[in-house]
Amino acid sequence: MSRARVVLVASPDDYFLEVGWKAARDALAEALPGAEVEELPAGTLVADVVMALQSPSLFSPHRILVVPDGDRWIGKPQKRKGKKTDRPQEEDPAPLVALIEGGLPEGTALLVAAQVPSRPSGPLAEAVERTGELHWLPLPEPPKPWQEGALSADQRKVLERLLREAAGGARFTRDAVGLLLERLGFAPRDLVGEVGKLAAAAGGGTVDEALVRRLVFPAERSLDIVLVLDAFEHGELGPVLGLIVAFEQGTVVRDWRGKRVDETGLALGLIGNVGRLLRQMLYLRKIAAEEGLMRDLDPAVNGQRRWYPGRFKKELGPMLVERIVSDPGSPFPLRSASAKPSVWHLGRVFRAAGRFPEPALVRTLGRLKEAERLSRGRTAKLEAVTAWLAELAGSLARFRD
């Protein structure tokens, strides 16, 4: 080899990075026939990398050393799926840079892979660009906030290319492709895995929408008032907070229309549903206080089997319906002038109203606007709604104690 070979492959995505550095490794191996390829353990100190590069192989005159976690030499390391290491947050790559600038031993090549959010910069990247090759594999632009759909045109184009490459001889119908991309979102590694599974199931034939529906089942949850009401009626916010955790772990969440929601949609949807229910709970508490029904708010009373059919359905429910219908400022939406709220629904909201301390309900409702404002920001959308709900959950726990 006439000169030392140094290659840096970088990408924000772990799948693109893996494909990229393996292609670079194969290219180096082709340029160095019979080369010994050694992948260094993640977290190998820079001094040990330098020593390994300077140590000749006992088995081959050509060597390729692969560093799989070079992001620690470029910037803050990114979390890798399925990989946990104790590598330091920062490490000075100066000794390695000096070796690259001075030239690696004859017959030796260095391949560095780095998962970073933006094009690499700094001493190591600059040294590689001067003496070797830097391959930056960016991601396609995501959809703009005002655009419909979970994927941009650029993202869809990239995923469709990956799908064709992974499909082999199998043919995917347009509906099958649309459903697959909708269910997985921008997840290149997951897409390639699912395409291989579907192609095998189709025996190399045609993959249609029915097969995708049968075999590709990402967990799905619904964001609707039923979820929120169920949780509040039982005085337990775990299911609501659990929906946020499930979303962050990749579960598809859909609204009441069946449309998939993004992070902002989930945050604002939860705030809207919870805020509406809090207003209704406080409204019923006010009526209960005016009508001398505070005892019925006690969970020990309304939790009895005969309370709803014997007490609420016959007496309290009809009275509340009349109060709501005659009050244009009621927080219970009525679809028409002749519409009436369901007694069964009112019974559930009434039970929920008795399971939370009123000051906590008032305080949580008072902080709704701030939570909504933060949820519309560029970052920490779900963190804002989580903190908002967690405070209410804490008040509930103290109330029970």
Side-chain angles (χ1 to χ4, degrees):
M1 180 168 69
S2 60
R3 65 180 180 84
R5 296 296 300 273
V6 182
V7 180
L8 170 60
V9 180
S11 177
D13 182 81
D14 69 309
Y15 177 75
F16 285 172
L17 178 63
E18 181 179 343
V19 172
W21 75 254
K22 287 183 176 179
R25 178 200 59 192
D26 294 345
L28 287 171
E30 185 176 351
L32 296 170
E36 175 188 356
V37 180
E38 179 183 357
E39 182 175 338
L40 299 178
T44 301
L45 296 178
V46 68
D48 294 332
V49 175
V50 170
M51 181 178 297
L53 287 168
Q54 293 175 324
S55 301
S57 171
L58 299 177
F59 308 101
S60 172
H62 295 159
R63 303 171 62 231
I64 302 171
L65 266 67
V66 180
V67 178
D69 59 340
D71 35 307
R72 57 199 164 102
W73 297 329
I74 294 172
K76 185 177 181 180
Q78 305 297 303
K79 292 183 178 179
R80 295 169 177 264
K81 294 181 180 179
K83 292 186 178 182
K84 294 182 179 179
T85 66
D86 296 324
R87 66 178 182 242
Q89 290 294 304
E90 294 181 0
E91 188 180 19
D92 187 359
L96 181 59
V97 171
L99 179 62
I100 292 173
E101 295 281 14
L104 300 186
E106 183 67 23
T108 300
L110 171 65
L111 170 59
V112 179
Q115 187 177 347
V116 290
S118 57
R119 183 180 177 84
S121 60
L124 178 62
E126 293 170 1
V128 170
E129 287 194 292
R130 284 193 296 270
T131 63
E133 301 173 0
L134 191 157
H135 301 294
W136 168 236
L137 309 175
L139 295 180
E141 286 293 325
K144 305 298 184 184
W146 57 85
Q147 292 177 327
E148 289 290 334
L151 295 172
S152 67
D154 288 342
Q155 287 179 322
R156 182 174 290 273
K157 186 181 299 183
V158 169
L159 292 177
E160 289 178 350
R161 174 178 58 79
L162 291 177
L163 187 151
R164 289 192 298 270
E165 294 172 354
R171 173 182 172 272
F172 282 67
T173 67
R174 178 175 297 184
D175 289 340
V177 172
L179 180 59
L180 189 58
L181 297 187
E182 177 190 352
R183 288 198 163 184
L184 296 179
F186 190 78
R189 185 181 294 278
D190 294 340
L191 176 66
V192 171
E194 293 297 337
V195 167
K197 180 175 69 177
L198 290 164
T206 298
V207 176
D208 57 15
E209 183 179 0
L211 187 60
V212 174
R213 290 189 181 279
R214 182 160 62 87
L215 295 185
V216 183
F217 281 120
E220 292 198 4
R221 300 278 296 275
S222 294
L223 168 61
D224 54 31
I225 189 60
V226 175
L227 167 76
V228 176
L229 182 53
D230 284 346
F232 276 71
E233 184 183 10
H234 292 91
E236 176 54 66
L237 297 186
V240 182
L241 294 169
L243 181 64
I244 297 175
V245 174
F247 177 87
E248 292 177 331
Q249 293 176 344
T251 297
V252 174
V253 177
R254 301 185 184 277
D255 61 17
W256 62 275
R257 295 167 298 183
K259 183 178 179 181
R260 184 173 181 174
V261 299
D262 57 11
E263 184 179 4
T264 301
L266 175 59
L268 296 179
L270 282 174
I271 289 173
N273 285 342
V274 172
R276 186 181 310 114
L277 182 57
L278 291 177
R279 294 185 186 94
Q280 294 174 354
M281 291 162 63
L282 286 170
Y283 183 83
L284 294 187
R285 288 187 69 95
K286 176 184 176 183
I287 295 178
E290 293 174 353
E291 299 290 339
L293 306 175
M294 296 303 291
R295 181 176 180 276
D296 286 284
L297 286 174
D298 187 344
V301 174
N302 60 46
Q304 296 177 11
R305 174 182 292 184
R306 295 299 305 168
W307 176 82
Y308 177 79
R311 171 73 168 157
F312 193 87
K313 185 176 181 180
K314 293 181 179 179
E315 302 176 30
L316 304 188
M319 180 271 294
L320 291 172
V321 168
E322 294 304 316
R323 289 286 298 266
I324 291 169
V325 170
S326 62
D327 181 5
S330 162
F332 290 87
L334 302 177
R335 296 182 179 178
S336 66
S338 60
K340 294 182 179 181
S342 161
V343 172
W344 171 249
H345 178 76
L346 288 179
R348 299 188 67 191
V349 179
F350 192 91
R351 281 197 180 100
R355 279 159 173 74
F356 292 81
E358 184 168 335
L361 298 179
V362 173
R363 184 168 56 252
T364 304
L365 196 55
R367 295 179 179 174
L368 182 148
K369 290 295 183 183
E370 176 65 9
E372 182 179 6
R373 183 185 68 79
L374 293 174
S375 295
R376 292 183 184 276
R378 293 188 176 183
T379 59
K381 305 174 192 297
L382 289 176
E383 286 85 344
V385 69
T386 299
W388 182 61
L389 292 171
E391 183 177 0
L392 178 59
S395 298
L396 177 61
R398 292 189 294 272
F399 176 65
R400 287 173 173 169
D401 293 341

